[in-house]
Amino acid sequence: MRRADWPVLGTLEAVPALDRPDLLGDPVVHALKLLDPADAALVGVAEIDPELADTAAFCDAYGSPLDGSANCVVVAGRRGETTSYAACLVLATTRADVNGLVRKRLNARKASFAPMDDAVALTGMEYGGITPVGLPEGWPLLVDAAVAVAPAVVIGSGVRHSKLALPGALAARLPGAEVVDGLGR
């Protein structure tokens, strides 16, 4: 594949993600290897300056459209003494409806972004690189409908020094994924 296959990455040169496991977090490598090879081939990776991993800085530096980036956030839902987790994938131009749709989906009385240390420890990924590819088994992955229909989106790679690009439809087929209308507001 060529850069033209992942234009959402702007000026970056990308290669098929499994060709560069050194640019991926360990859970991401494992998850990509479990995908159908045809699906795995749709995922590109590009190396970036880790200081530019945050979405706005990344888009500005590399000419990637902000509406072509999707953020993955980890949410903790609590009901009594029980805490459950989910990941949400929404376009960078929106915010996840944590206190409405996500809270209800987790059947929680209270929902909030998981503390950074918890999100990092539970996913095995770096903060600023958390991605829906390779989430812990059993976690729901709530994907905003706008992400699911996007031709391609830029997401984290499990580490801060690279980004992945993949079709939104593939994100919507990842393990545990559920497409949710109105998740991103």
Side-chain angles (χ1 to χ4, degrees):
M1 293 195 161
R2 308 162 316 282
R3 185 177 85 187
D5 295 316
W6 299 291
V8 73
L9 285 167
T11 60
L12 293 169
E13 291 292 332
V15 298
L18 283 175
D19 288 357
R20 291 292 309 271
D22 59 305
L23 294 179
L24 308 172
D26 291 340
V28 177
V29 173
H30 178 72
L32 287 173
K33 287 180 178 178
L34 293 176
L35 289 179
D36 178 284
D39 282 342
L42 298 174
V43 182
V45 67
E47 189 168 10
I48 66 166
D49 178 339
E51 296 298 315
L52 300 172
D54 293 334
T55 303
F58 166 80
C59 290
D60 187 51
Y62 298 109
S64 179
L66 189 60
D67 62 358
S69 289
N71 291 328
C72 183
V73 295
V74 176
V75 176
R78 291 173 203 79
R79 179 174 283 280
E81 298 298 314
T82 303
T83 301
S84 54
Y85 295 91
C88 301
L89 189 63
V90 297
L91 291 178
T93 54
T94 66
R95 299 207 179 272
D97 181 10
V98 173
N99 290 309
L101 291 172
V102 179
R103 182 184 59 78
K104 289 175 187 170
R105 170 59 180 80
L106 290 175
N107 193 28
R109 289 203 187 280
K110 183 178 179 182
S112 59
F113 296 112
M116 177 183 63
D117 291 344
D118 292 350
V120 167
L122 293 168
T123 63
M125 300 177 200
E126 294 178 5
Y127 183 73
I130 293 176
T131 182
V133 180
L135 291 170
E137 189 172 334
W139 276 24
L141 167 58
L142 307 179
V143 178
D144 185 68
V147 172
V149 299
V153 290
V154 175
I155 59 175
S157 63
V159 294
R160 290 183 63 87
H161 62 275
S162 66
K163 291 286 187 179
L164 296 178
L166 73 163
L170 178 56
R173 294 193 313 267
L174 291 171
E178 173 184 335
V179 176
V180 180
D181 285 323
L183 176 63
R185 296 180 169 218

